Amino acid sequence: MSSILRRSSDRDATAPPAPLGVALYGCGTVGSGLVQVLRARESLAGRVSLDLLHVVVRDIAKRRAVAHPDGVLSRALLPPIDDPRVQIVVELIGGIEPAHTLIVHALNSGKHVISANKAVIAAHGAELESLAAQNRVLFKYGAAVGGAIPILHALRGPLRHEPVRSIRGIVNGTTNYILTQMAEQGTSFEAALASAQAHGFAEPDPFADVSGLDAAQKIVILARHAFGRWVSLDDVELTGIDRVSADDIRAAHAEGASLKLVADARMDGDRIRMKVAPALVSPNDPLYAIRNEMNAIVIDTEFSGSLVFAGPGAGAHPAGSAVFSDIAAVARRVAGRRGS
Amino acid sequence: MSSILRRSSDRDATAPPAPLGVALYGCGTVGSGLVQVLRARESLAGRVSLDLLHVVVRDIAKRRAVAHPDGVLSRALLPPIDDPRVQIVVELIGGIEPAHTLIVHALNSGKHVISANKAVIAAHGAELESLAAQNRVLFKYGAAVGGAIPILHALRGPLRHEPVRSIRGIVNGTTNYILTQMAEQGTSFEAALASAQAHGFAEPDPFADVSGLDAAQKIVILARHAFGRWVSLDDVELTGIDRVSADDIRAAHAEGASLKLVADARMDGDRIRMKVAPALVSPNDPLYAIRNEMNAIVIDTEFSGSLVFAGPGAGAHPAGSAVFSDIAAVARRVAGRRGS
C-alpha cells in the first residue's frame, strides 16, 4: 500500500532513491543541455540521484559546451549498454541508424530507454514499444515532440480516456522561425533560413525541417497517443515550406491571416488522416500568435473542448529539461519498484 | 515487476479492473457533466469500471439534467461514505462546509477522495493532503483549477523537478467572459454579468467570481504545486473587477492592450508573492487572445522557458471530464495495487 503513496508524492521531501547509472548517447545541443540540467538539479533537488557513467560521442576530440570527467567520454557503441551499472540509456543521436540498433540492444538487455529521436520513433515506435513491454522496461520519448511542452504526458496521462477528434499544431520551430522572419522582417526564404542556422535553430542540413519531414514524424507520434495506434509516416500528406515565397506571405497578410506550417491528424471514420502543409491561420486560431521557434499544439476533444499547449519547441535547456523529466520519471518508477 | 508495465500502459487494451464503488456529492453543473461523461465512457472504453452507488444532493425532488436509478439519490451526508462498497468519494458540492467535514470523514475512513472544490482546498489543502497521506489514500483535485486544462497534472508530473519562477493566468471564466463582452460588445458591467448568468457561466451569487476570491483560491492551489508549499489565502493581494468601468476598457483598447483579471504567483527571495487584479495585457502576451470563458495559465520556468496551457475553464463536460480523469487515475492506481 505504501507504494501508492510514494507514487503520489511530489515536490514534498521524500527519501532520495539510490543513484541510477546512466549512459548518454549524443552530446550535441540537447545532450549538452541535458548535462547542464542534470548538474544544476543535482544541487537543486537531490531527489533523483543519477550517475552519468558514459557519454558516447562520434568525435571525442571535439570541443563541447560541457566538460566531462576522465573516462566518461567514449566512442564505443554497445559496450556502455552492457555495463551492469547502467540502468538507463538516453539516446540523443538522432536518425535511424545506429540509433535503432542501440535502442533495440538496450531494451533487450533490460535497460530503460529514453529517446528524443522522432525519426526512429516515427519509423519503429510500434516495434520498440513492444520490445520494451516484452523486456518489462520503460521506453519514454517525451522530448521527441514539442520540446519542453508536456504534450505526450498530457495525452498519456490526464487525457488518456478523453476521445480526441483532432490534434494539430506548429511542431517544427525552424520552419516557424523562417516563416515569422519572412512575415515580420520581409526577408527572403534563403535569408531567413540563414538566420535560423545562425541562431542554432536549423541544422546545417535543413532538409528534414524545410521539407516538412520533421513535422510529419512528430504528427505520427502525436497521432499514436491521441488515437491509440501507430500509423505509417508514408500516410502523411506532405508539403514543405521550400516553395513558400515572399508573395505568399504578403497575400496571407493581406487576408488578415498568417502562414504557418501546420501538422494535422484527425479521425475520419476509422481512418486517421494526417497532413503537414503551409496553411493560412486566422487571428482567432491559437496558432496565429505562435512566433519564431515556439511550438503549439491544439487538441480538439469530445468532452474537454479545445485544449492548447504552447512553449519553446527547441533549444538546449528546454529539450534537455524534457529529457530530464523522462529520466526522473523512470528513476521514480524504479525507486517505487524497489520499495514495493 | 509487472506493475511497472501496467502503469505505463495507455490507450492500448488492457484487462479491465474490477468495478470500484463511487459516492458522488453534489449533482449540479459539474456533477451532471461527470455523470454524462461516466455513462458515455462506460460504453466508449470499459477500461475503468465504476459503480456509481450514491449521489448525495440537497434536494431529492429537484429536476436534474441526468436521471439516476432508484435508490441512488439520497440526502444523507455521511452514511454513503460508510458504505463498505464505496472506495472513491467525489465531492462537488463546493464551499467550506459541509465539504470539509465529509472529506475529512472520507479520508479517515480510508476512502480515496476527489474534489473540484477550490474553496475548501485553498483553505484546508495542507490538512487534507496530510490526512490522505496518514490514511494512505489518494486525494486528487485536478478539476479545481483550470477546468479541463491539465495544469496541476503538468506541475505534479512532467514539470515537478522544473524550478518555476512564476505562474500567472486567467483562471476565472466568469470574469473573463464579462470583460470580453464589455470590450467586444461595449456592454456595461451589469449587462455583461447578466449575460454570463444567462449562459450559465456565473453563479446566481457572483460575489466569489467578481471579487476575485475564486481566482485567489485558484492561485493558492497553483502556487502550492509550482513552489512546493501551501500559502495562505490571506496573503493574496486582491482586487476584483466590480469597479472596472467601460472607460477603463476603452482606455486599455486605446493603448492597444486588453484588460484581464490576472492571477499571479511568483518567488521573491524565499517568499511567494500572490496577486489577483485587473491588468493591462499586451498583444504579445499569451493571455491577450484568451476570450470569454476560456482560461489560460503561463508558467515561467528556469530551464523550459515559458509554457502556456489554455482551454475551457468551466462548463459541465470539461469540468466533468477533469473529475473523471482523476477518478480514472485513482482506479488505475487501485488496480495496480491489487495486482502488485
Side-chain angles (χ1 to χ4, degrees):
Chain A
M1 231 176 183
S2 64
S3 65
I4 285 204
L5 289 172
R6 193 161 31 246
R7 290 196 299 274
S8 73
S9 72
D10 46 22
R11 283 165 204 270
D12 303 319
T14 48
L20 292 170
V22 176
L24 167 63
Y25 287 80
C27 205
T29 303
V30 181
S32 301
L34 169 65
V35 173
Q36 287 165 345
V37 170
L38 277 174
R39 289 179 185 166
R41 295 203 181 166
E42 243 167 356
S43 58
L44 276 169
R47 270 169 220 143
V48 175
S49 184
L50 300 163
D51 198 354
L52 186 56
L53 298 167
H54 304 277
V55 176
V56 182
V57 294
R58 241 184 324 211
D59 178 2
I60 291 184
K62 192 175 160 188
R63 244 188 108 94
R64 297 181 184 278
V66 289
H68 297 282
D70 284 349
V72 166
L73 276 180
S74 80
R75 293 197 313 171
L77 196 69
L78 300 184
I81 294 171
D82 300 327
D83 180 340
R85 298 170 302 165
V86 168
Q87 291 171 274
I88 299 177
V89 172
V90 180
E91 182 275 303
L92 304 178
I93 55 180
I96 303 290
E97 284 298 348
H100 179 251
T101 298
L102 84 84
I103 294 174
V104 167
H105 183 67
L107 295 173
N108 281 334
S109 306
K111 314 284 166 141
H112 304 291
V113 173
I114 286 146
S115 171
N117 180 341
K118 54 251 167 188
V120 79
I121 296 160
H124 299 287
E127 175 211 3
L128 298 175
E129 287 189 344
S130 155
L131 268 186
Q134 281 168 39
N135 289 289
R136 296 175 175 264
V137 290
L138 298 164
F139 175 50
K140 287 182 166 276
Y141 46 86
V145 182
I149 305 170
I151 181 67
L152 296 185
H153 292 92
L155 288 169
R156 293 177 70 95
L159 301 177
R160 82 202 243 166
H161 296 279
E162 176 74 54
V164 175
R165 290 178 182 142
S166 70
I167 184 160
R168 60 191 279 276
I170 295 170
V171 293
N172 180 274
T174 304
T175 49
N176 202 51
Y177 179 87
I178 291 172
L179 293 173
T180 305
Q181 292 296 308
M182 288 174 75
E184 296 183 1
Q185 310 296 331
T187 51
S188 67
F189 172 82
E190 291 72 18
L193 171 59
S195 166
Q197 288 170 325
H199 280 80
F201 301 138
E203 302 292 323
D205 176 4
F207 171 77
D209 292 324
V210 166
S211 67
L213 174 62
D214 176 88
Q217 290 163 343
K218 288 168 178 167
I219 199 70
V220 163
I221 297 171
L222 287 171
R224 182 262 179 271
H225 293 286
F227 305 121
R229 61 180 196 259
W230 284 101
V231 283
S232 167
L233 188 61
D234 297 336
D235 292 339
V236 183
E237 198 187 315
L238 185 58
T239 313
I241 66 158
D242 39 337
R243 270 172 272 175
V244 171
S245 69
D247 284 348
D248 296 328
I249 305 264
R250 268 191 293 272
H253 257 253
E255 290 187 43
S258 72
L259 197 73
K260 300 286 189 187
L261 184 68
V262 176
D264 186 301
R266 55 190 64 235
M267 291 307 298
D268 177 13
D270 276 351
R271 238 189 102 181
I272 299 168
R273 289 201 183 272
M274 293 175 295
K275 186 175 169 176
V276 171
L280 286 181
V281 171
S282 75
N284 283 336
D285 191 315
L287 302 183
Y288 180 82
I290 305 303
R291 297 171 63 244
N292 288 327
E293 77 278 18
M294 297 294 279
N295 281 196
I297 293 131
V298 184
I299 312 176
D300 187 35
T301 69
E302 185 171 338
F303 296 111
S304 297
S306 248
L307 298 169
V308 185
F309 300 76
H317 284 166
S321 194
V323 173
F324 178 83
S325 176
D326 275 349
I327 296 176
V330 169
R332 289 196 303 272
R333 203 69 75 76
V334 171
R337 183 175 61 171
R338 279 179 187 156
S340 66
Chain B
M1 229 175 185
S2 65
S3 65
I4 286 204
L5 289 172
R6 192 161 33 243
R7 291 196 298 274
S8 74
S9 72
D10 46 21
R11 284 165 204 268
D12 303 320
T14 48
L20 291 171
V22 176
L24 167 63
Y25 287 81
C27 203
T29 303
V30 181
S32 301
L34 169 65
V35 173
Q36 287 165 345
V37 169
L38 278 174
R39 289 180 185 165
R41 294 201 185 170
E42 244 168 357
S43 58
L44 276 169
R47 268 168 221 144
V48 175
S49 184
L50 300 164
D51 198 352
L52 185 56
L53 298 167
H54 304 279
V55 176
V56 182
V57 294
R58 242 185 321 213
D59 179 1
I60 290 184
K62 192 175 159 188
R63 245 190 108 94
R64 295 177 187 282
V66 290
H68 297 283
D70 283 347
V72 166
L73 276 181
S74 80
R75 293 195 314 169
L77 196 68
L78 300 184
I81 294 172
D82 299 327
D83 180 340
R85 298 169 301 165
V86 167
Q87 291 171 275
I88 300 177
V89 172
V90 181
E91 183 274 303
L92 304 178
I93 55 180
I96 303 291
E97 284 299 346
H100 179 251
T101 298
L102 84 85
I103 294 174
V104 167
H105 183 67
L107 295 172
N108 281 333
S109 305
K111 315 285 166 142
H112 305 290
V113 174
I114 286 145
S115 171
N117 181 341
K118 55 250 165 185
V120 78
I121 296 160
H124 299 287
E127 175 211 2
L128 298 175
E129 287 189 345
S130 154
L131 269 185
Q134 281 168 38
N135 289 290
R136 295 173 177 265
V137 290
L138 298 165
F139 176 50
K140 287 182 165 274
Y141 45 86
V145 182
I149 306 170
I151 180 67
L152 296 185
H153 293 91
L155 287 169
R156 292 175 70 94
L159 301 177
R160 82 202 244 165
H161 296 280
E162 176 74 52
V164 175
R165 290 180 182 140
S166 71
I167 184 160
R168 62 191 277 276
I170 295 169
V171 292
N172 180 273
T174 304
T175 50
N176 201 52
Y177 178 88
I178 291 172
L179 293 173
T180 305
Q181 292 296 308
M182 287 174 74
E184 296 183 1
Q185 311 294 331
T187 51
S188 67
F189 173 82
E190 291 74 18
L193 172 58
S195 165
Q197 288 170 325
H199 280 81
F201 301 139
E203 302 291 323
D205 176 4
F207 171 78
D209 292 325
V210 166
S211 67
L213 175 62
D214 175 89
Q217 291 163 343
K218 288 168 177 166
I219 198 70
V220 164
I221 297 171
L222 287 171
R224 182 263 180 271
H225 294 286
F227 305 121
R229 62 180 195 259
W230 285 101
V231 283
S232 167
L233 187 61
D234 297 336
D235 292 340
V236 183
E237 198 186 315
L238 184 58
T239 312
I241 65 157
D242 39 338
R243 271 172 271 175
V244 170
S245 68
D247 284 349
D248 296 331
I249 305 263
R250 270 191 293 271
H253 258 254
E255 289 188 44
S258 72
L259 197 73
K260 300 286 188 188
L261 183 68
V262 176
D264 186 300
R266 56 190 63 235
M267 291 308 296
D268 177 14
D270 276 351
R271 240 189 100 180
I272 299 169
R273 289 201 183 271
M274 294 176 295
K275 187 176 170 176
V276 171
L280 286 181
V281 170
S282 74
N284 283 336
D285 191 315
L287 301 185
Y288 181 82
I290 305 303
R291 297 171 64 245
N292 289 326
E293 76 278 17
M294 298 294 279
N295 280 195
I297 293 131
V298 184
I299 312 176
D300 187 35
T301 69
E302 185 170 338
F303 296 112
S304 297
S306 249
L307 298 169
V308 185
F309 300 76
H317 284 167
S321 193
V323 174
F324 178 82
S325 175
D326 276 349
I327 297 177
V330 169
R332 289 195 304 271
R333 204 69 75 73
V334 172
R337 183 176 60 170
R338 279 180 187 155
S340 66

